[in-house]
Amino acid sequence: MENGARPAAAEAAGAQVRGWRGVLPHEWLFGGFLGILALRLTLRGGAAAGWSLVFWACLAGSMAVIAWAGRRPTRFRWYIRLLYYPAIMGISFYAMEPAVPLLGPKKDAWLLGWDRLLLGETPAVAWEQWAWPWLEDLAMGGYLFFFYYLVASPAWYAVKDLARFRQCIVGLFTLYALGFLGYTILPAGGPHRFLEFDRPLQGVWLLPLTLDMVNDGSNCVDVFPSIHFAATLYLLLFDRRYHRRHFWIALVPCVVLWFSTLYLRFHYFVDLLGGLVVAGIGWWTARRYARSRQEAAWGRWTELVEAGRPARQGP
């Protein structure tokens, strides 16, 4: 394209995503989660109102990053915009630990009741007779695989293809927004905190080495829905379509991970059903966004802005 035509083409593409039309689906949803929780805490008053400032600040930062990156969408600015959500995910996750209990009691009894209605007994109790140390270590290995896969799969798209990375993040943080909202509506600690067991988990070496770290990394309300299940299922679906080799590498460890969430007493069965729903919504959102005019316009505008940017110009 001639240099003189680039500004006009960029202007035409940019017109389709200017202002609120350029806000991505996960930005609406994660912003909605932040706003709803911040408002609930504010209205609760007292210590809850103090914790609301964390979520208001995350929401204000999101709006600022969207505006800054959308004004001149270079690759650098896109990475900052997309990586903002993993950053505030961590902040909001740990801020929920002291904040969410201020809104009301935990709902473990409800979740346990649903399990017993569906299955007769929650798997954490029903499987207690198979608490074998070697299997506990294997299950913990699968559980820890989550932390690799959550980073490695999106990172591959970030390096290889910005547009595909954007689509991955749209779906992933759609499900995170819904999952975090679930934590605030039905907060629970999980069977390992709510129930007493005759046979404690022991493991051989991996579980004793890591179990305390895993428990300390929880915010104690992160049960329904299971994001361990939802995020890995979503990433498997995404990799199956766009990175088949990684899909086959991750498939068996993910199945072990899903088993471990119940076997190691972290989750109720209904948590995985909730995770199935939010994973499905995330995958549907990512697929719909990938085919949208918004994604086509963002890709074209970024390409044209990058092509016409002087080499000496900063990010």
Side-chain angles (χ1 to χ4, degrees):
M1 181 181 293
E2 295 295 328
N3 288 341
R6 282 197 187 107
E11 179 66 22
Q16 300 179 51
V17 286
R18 198 166 280 129
W20 63 267
R21 289 174 295 181
V23 179
L24 303 179
H26 73 288
E27 292 170 336
W28 285 112
L29 288 169
F30 209 96
F33 151 72
L34 292 169
I36 290 170
L37 180 54
L39 183 60
R40 289 179 65 195
L41 291 166
T42 299
L43 295 176
R44 189 74 172 184
W51 280 106
S52 75
L53 298 177
V54 176
F55 302 97
W56 286 127
C58 288
L59 179 58
S62 175
M63 296 168 64
V65 169
I66 291 169
W68 171 75
R71 189 162 50 246
R72 184 163 52 84
T74 63
R75 289 180 64 85
F76 173 81
R77 292 187 178 212
W78 263 117
Y79 284 122
I80 297 298
R81 178 173 177 174
L82 295 171
L83 291 173
Y84 179 78
Y85 289 90
I88 62 169
M89 174 189 73
I91 294 170
S92 56
F93 178 84
Y94 286 109
M96 280 190 279
E97 181 172 3
V100 170
L102 298 173
L103 296 173
K106 294 183 180 181
K107 307 297 185 182
D108 284 88
W110 287 20
L111 299 174
L112 178 61
W114 293 344
D115 264 20
R116 287 174 171 167
L117 181 64
L118 291 172
L119 304 176
E121 184 55 271
T122 190
V125 174
W127 297 353
E128 187 177 9
Q129 59 185 310
W130 298 301
W132 300 325
W134 67 267
L135 186 56
E136 292 166 10
D137 268 18
L138 178 64
M140 180 56 81
Y143 194 81
L144 295 175
F145 180 78
F146 171 81
F147 302 102
Y148 159 79
Y149 198 32
L150 185 64
V151 174
S153 181
W156 190 87
Y157 299 106
V159 171
K160 297 291 184 179
D161 187 337
L162 173 60
R164 198 67 71 204
F165 178 53
R166 181 164 53 232
Q167 294 157 22
C168 181
I169 290 294
V170 163
L172 184 61
F173 282 88
T174 290
L175 77 84
Y176 260 97
L178 297 174
F180 279 14
L181 188 61
Y183 293 171
T184 69
I185 296 172
L186 292 173
H192 64 303
R193 290 192 171 94
F194 186 65
L195 298 172
E196 294 185 2
F197 295 89
D198 295 329
R199 302 177 63 175
L201 299 175
Q202 296 179 351
V204 179
W205 67 273
L206 182 60
L207 185 135
L209 185 67
T210 58
L211 184 59
D212 286 344
M213 291 187 291
V214 169
N215 286 332
D216 290 344
S218 165
N219 66 11
C220 302
V221 296
D222 54 339
V223 169
F224 183 89
S226 170
I227 290 182
H228 268 69
F229 177 75
T232 50
L233 176 58
Y234 167 79
L235 291 172
L236 277 177
L237 293 171
F238 204 89
D239 279 345
R240 185 178 184 276
R241 185 169 184 86
Y242 300 114
H243 189 193
R244 189 64 62 90
R245 182 170 176 269
H246 206 185
F247 165 79
W248 288 115
I249 291 171
L251 179 59
V252 171
C254 282
V255 173
V256 175
L257 187 164
W258 301 339
F259 164 75
S260 75
T261 61
L262 302 173
Y263 180 69
L264 296 180
R265 307 168 182 174
F266 294 127
H267 281 284
Y268 306 99
F269 177 71
V270 291
D271 302 337
L272 273 65
L273 295 182
L276 179 64
V277 172
V278 299
I281 294 172
W283 175 239
W284 177 83
T285 302
R287 296 276 290 124
R288 184 176 177 85
Y289 173 74
R291 299 189 298 267
S292 69
R293 293 182 180 179
Q294 184 188 44
E295 167 59 11
W298 270 130
R300 184 62 173 154
W301 194 15
T302 305
E303 176 187 334
L304 291 165
V305 169
E306 283 282 286
R309 188 162 64 100
R312 67 179 182 277
Q313 189 172 343

